[in-house]
Amino acid sequence: MAAASGLSGWLHRMTDSDVWWSFKSSPMTVAAAVATVLIIAVAFLSPLLAPHTPFDPVTLNLSDGLKPPVLVSPDGEWAFPLGTDDQGRDILSSIMYGTRLSLVVSLAAVAVAMVIGISLGLISGYFGGTIDAVIMRVADVQLTFPAILVALLIDGVVRGLISVKRHDEIAIFVVVGAIGLSFWVSYARTVRGSVMVERNKEYVQAARVIGLSPLLIMVRHVLPNVTGPVLVIATLNLGLAIITEATLSFLGVGLPSTEPSLGTLIRLGNEVLQSGDWWITVFPGVTLAVLVLAVNLLGDWLRDALNPKLR
Amino acid sequence: MLAFILRRILQSIAVLVAVGLVSFSLFRYVGDPINAMVGQDTTMEEREVLREKLGLNDSAPIQFLRFIGNAARGNFGLSYRTSEPVGRLILERVPATLELSFCAAVFVLFVGVPMGVYTGLYPKHWSSRLLQAVSLIGISLPTFLIGILLILVFAVMLHWLPSFGRGETVQVGWWTTNFLTWSGLKALILPAITLGLFQLTLIMRLVRSEMLEVMRADYIKFARARGLTNRAINFGHALKNTLVPVITVAGLQLGSLIAFAVVTETVFAWPGVGQLFIQSVQFSDIPVMAAYLLLIGLFFVLINLIVDLLYFAVDPRLRSQGGGARVAGH
């Protein structure tokens, strides 16, 4: 009973807020939210929804290879609505599984970046001094380079350190780590800035006076006050992370073709593009573009909605 | 002002030293220079002799200084993959990347800035709204996808333009150029558009929002009251005052052009430095990666420095204060 009223109270608070109002009054944002939720739902339910299991070799039949999409050619079959690739894999199912993998990798990468960035930002802002200077100089140096280059470099270094066979097994962790490590700077800078403002406020001084440990003060008292900007960066970063993962996989240094993400699918399709079999590339590409566009629109809206200057 | 410039140069050197350290540790500790030079049947003693001869047993700081000294003379060791000198491999490919990036930059500035000015001056016009919507899609499309779509339409379907390689090039000294043959020029079009499109949308949106802001300023109203022509107001007063942030972003985007050349060169099989870098990542060819990192580091630091110094040229307020305030940091 208490839980139920808690939930309805929370719902009421949400539907009564400024943010909800600004969300409702922007049809573009609502459309983006619907698209994002839809893509995420379909991707994570792909084992249930997908008509085929494209990466189980037992279910493949080479005679199904290179079927065009149903709606553009009489050669298509309804069993493969978006056509098949040269191995006879159903494009629609590949996209569903691929989107799931892309989302898992990008979400994990953003989480890694958040954890690293927030921790270093908190430490930097709360303690100041030498440790702050060191962290911020490292951030400056890294910011000199675009994230994609940093991710490529980390990926290359890991490849140099381990054998090729092992690499395919841990490729997903390497990609998550590489993207995560290339995105932490913006969190660290934002959190540091907010912490430096917060740490001199009375509630933090009061917490210090009653003898709470710095860790507890940072996590329980300072952190909740910087969640707004962090949330905005995370949403905008998710779009970037999806693109970065797709780019790495497209360049052949991301996820292996045995476990393809959207980027890998586009790379595989690109190899046969010259022969005119466009659907193998174009449908994963469109999915990627729509996903990134929807996430970016949400991020843009969130940035404006949480920015008190624009109210 | 002099103090500011000095401080900026010192900072740049510090960044370069940091990049050099990363590059050195890659070269020395991730890769093993000895393995790259000898065959499998070389004995441990022979390896040890070679190790001593190359100075790999010296202390780390001395090795680092030697690495930097060699790098300054263009000596980065041998590639693991092709056993050629890395310096020469890179030098052969520099013209391709620079010509591609140059064309993309020209495309970005000469199309992006006018589009931004136009949409900023007439924000309500339907064509401005259309450009604004298209630019949002442009920002969400990854570079490699733009390239693939362009190849699909203009090379595979219409057969208008080539989809890979540089076409015929002409040798001018050690530099190979695309600009002197028809097929070389044709080969540049799709890669340059691909590389530039993302930055183009970025510059357009930036110029637009800056123009919108400036056009509301009092001095614009005053200029109108004085009866100046629209042309003088739009370009002499408004555009000039949007330049500071535009220069920052354009400068930093020049760096991104070089970075994303990695992707574009892979899509179009363009024989530039970026393609070399991707191959080195795929084969974990450490000396090439270390050299690329150092070069790109030098390049980025120079760009950042030049961008900062350009502020003084564009913004008289900075000169009078002599302060080091970055007007629009990243």
Side-chain angles (χ1 to χ4, degrees):
Chain A
M1 184 64 196
S5 79
L7 186 67
S8 72
W10 183 80
L11 263 180
H12 179 75
R13 260 183 64 195
M14 193 180 92
T15 51
D16 203 30
S17 67
D18 289 352
V19 174
W20 182 253
W21 185 83
S22 116
F23 177 75
K24 262 195 331 193
S25 53
S26 159
M28 191 89 139
T29 311
V30 175
V34 170
T36 311
V37 170
L38 208 65
I39 292 176
I40 291 178
V42 170
F44 281 93
L45 293 176
S46 52
L48 300 175
L49 295 176
H52 303 268
T53 46
F55 295 95
D56 180 2
V58 181
T59 66
L60 297 181
N61 188 346
L62 277 179
S63 63
D64 291 332
L66 292 178
K67 291 232 183 297
V70 148
L71 290 178
V72 297
S73 160
D75 294 338
E77 285 176 26
W78 276 109
F80 307 104
L82 298 183
T84 58
D85 68 2
D86 51 346
Q87 306 284 318
R89 288 184 283 240
D90 176 41
I91 299 290
L92 178 66
S93 312
S94 306
I95 291 177
M96 287 173 154
Y97 281 99
T99 310
R100 182 172 69 160
L101 203 55
S102 286
L103 280 169
V104 167
V105 170
S106 326
L107 286 169
V110 170
V112 168
M114 260 170 101
V115 169
I116 299 175
I118 291 175
S119 317
L120 291 179
L122 278 176
I123 293 169
S124 206
Y126 190 83
F127 293 112
T130 322
I131 191 165
D132 173 39
V134 170
I135 293 176
M136 283 303 118
R137 285 302 84 72
V138 173
D140 285 348
V141 173
Q142 183 168 336
L143 214 58
T144 319
F145 298 91
I148 181 87
L149 277 189
V150 177
L152 270 171
L153 205 70
I154 296 172
D155 196 85
V157 170
V158 176
R159 272 165 195 271
L161 289 173
I162 55 175
S163 70
V164 176
K165 192 178 162 294
R166 228 158 116 63
H167 186 273
D168 269 7
E169 291 162 21
I170 59 164
I172 189 165
F173 300 105
V174 177
V175 174
V176 168
I179 302 177
L181 280 175
S182 55
F183 280 164
W184 66 273
V185 175
S186 41
Y187 298 95
R189 286 195 158 187
T190 310
V191 170
R192 171 179 175 269
S194 309
V195 169
M196 288 172 70
V197 174
E198 297 292 329
R199 81 169 163 195
N200 293 326
K201 289 196 178 158
E202 283 173 357
Y203 72 93
V204 175
Q205 284 170 354
R208 211 175 292 161
V209 166
I210 59 172
L212 295 184
S213 74
L215 183 72
L216 203 64
I217 297 177
M218 281 194 277
V219 174
R220 292 287 299 278
H221 298 272
V222 179
L223 192 57
N225 285 296
V226 299
T227 44
V230 166
L231 200 62
V232 172
I233 301 177
T235 321
L236 290 170
N237 256 348
L238 183 61
L240 265 180
I242 296 172
I243 287 188
T244 310
E245 184 278 319
T247 305
L248 288 179
S249 295
F250 174 77
L251 293 174
V253 293
L255 300 178
S257 44
T258 47
E259 261 182 292
S261 68
L262 285 176
T264 324
L265 290 175
I266 296 170
R267 170 165 61 91
L268 297 176
N270 188 40
E271 284 165 7
V272 294
L273 189 68
Q274 296 293 339
S275 53
D277 304 324
W278 52 271
W279 58 90
I280 308 175
T281 319
V282 168
F283 289 123
V286 168
T287 313
L288 180 68
V290 171
L291 178 60
V292 174
L293 183 64
V295 171
N296 279 351
L297 281 171
L298 276 184
D300 277 346
W301 161 76
L302 200 61
R303 183 184 53 200
D304 293 347
L306 294 184
N307 186 349
K309 276 191 219 147
L310 289 177
R311 285 223 182 107
Chain B
M1 176 187 162
L2 197 66
F4 167 70
I5 292 176
L6 268 178
R7 200 166 58 230
R8 280 294 293 129
I9 290 175
L10 277 181
Q11 272 174 6
S12 305
I13 292 173
V15 171
L16 269 184
V17 170
V19 173
L21 270 175
V22 175
S23 172
F24 166 71
S25 358
L26 259 183
F27 181 78
R28 178 63 190 85
Y29 300 109
V30 178
D32 183 357
I34 297 287
N35 267 348
M37 303 172 71
V38 299
Q40 295 228 317
D41 45 351
T42 317
T43 62
M44 289 312 276
E45 287 79 38
E46 284 171 316
R47 282 169 192 252
E48 197 49 45
V49 171
L50 195 58
R51 196 169 276 278
E52 189 62 45
K53 203 176 110 197
L54 288 174
L56 293 177
N57 292 334
D58 296 347
S59 69
I62 291 184
Q63 288 194 45
F64 174 61
L65 287 179
R66 194 182 298 133
F67 173 79
I68 295 295
N70 281 336
R73 276 175 273 136
N75 179 5
F76 293 97
L78 298 179
S79 156
Y80 289 178
R81 192 166 56 91
T82 64
S83 305
E84 286 173 82
V86 173
R88 204 180 73 209
L89 271 182
I90 290 186
L91 202 64
E92 274 171 4
R93 286 163 170 264
V94 162
T97 299
L98 284 186
E99 288 192 348
L100 175 59
S101 307
F102 173 76
C103 288
V106 167
F107 169 64
V108 169
L109 288 180
F110 285 85
V111 180
V113 173
M115 269 164 67
V117 171
Y118 177 79
T119 49
L121 288 177
Y122 312 104
K124 294 278 192 301
H125 197 265
W126 64 268
S127 54
S128 302
R129 288 172 189 270
L130 185 71
L131 280 177
Q132 185 74 357
V134 171
S135 77
L136 192 67
I137 297 173
I139 282 187
S140 298
L141 276 180
T143 309
F144 67 91
L145 206 53
I146 296 173
I148 290 175
L149 293 180
L150 288 178
I151 288 181
L152 184 65
V153 174
F154 292 101
V156 178
M157 289 178 171
L158 297 173
H159 299 290
W160 286 355
L161 296 164
S163 65
F164 61 88
R166 286 180 84 183
E168 285 168 41
T169 55
V170 175
Q171 192 94 17
V172 183
W174 62 271
W175 187 279
T176 52
T177 181
N178 267 35
F179 293 132
L180 296 175
T181 65
W182 183 235
S183 89
L185 285 173
K186 258 166 70 173
L188 264 172
I189 298 176
L190 289 185
I193 293 179
T194 305
L195 185 54
L197 208 58
F198 180 79
Q199 331 295 357
L200 175 97
T201 49
L202 217 63
I203 293 285
M204 183 200 116
R205 291 165 78 91
L206 180 74
V207 173
R208 173 184 177 272
S209 64
E210 291 293 324
M211 282 297 272
L212 280 177
E213 203 147 297
V214 168
M215 290 309 277
R216 284 203 303 256
D218 285 343
Y219 61 81
I220 296 289
K221 282 182 199 141
F222 190 64
R224 279 199 206 292
R226 271 159 60 204
L228 295 184
T229 60
N230 271 336
R231 194 188 159 79
I233 294 173
N234 293 346
F235 293 97
H237 290 70
L239 183 60
K240 207 171 161 191
N241 279 289
T242 65
L243 278 181
V244 171
V246 171
I247 285 178
T248 321
V249 174
L252 297 174
Q253 291 310 309
L254 191 63
S256 301
L257 278 185
I258 301 280
F260 280 97
V262 171
V263 180
T264 311
E265 284 174 9
T266 308
V267 177
F268 288 93
W270 189 265
V273 189
Q275 202 195 27
L276 183 72
F277 177 61
I278 284 297
Q279 285 163 355
S280 75
V281 170
Q282 281 166 349
F283 288 87
S284 59
D285 191 347
I286 299 292
V288 177
M289 281 168 62
Y292 181 82
L293 175 67
L294 210 54
L295 273 185
I296 221 86
L298 181 68
F299 186 78
F300 276 71
V301 166
L302 281 180
I303 289 180
N304 281 338
L305 189 64
I306 293 171
V307 166
D308 272 5
L309 298 183
L310 268 181
Y311 289 151
F312 286 100
V314 197
D315 194 338
R317 283 169 301 184
L318 280 178
R319 262 172 300 191
S320 59
Q321 288 167 2
R326 287 194 83 155
V327 179
H330 34 242

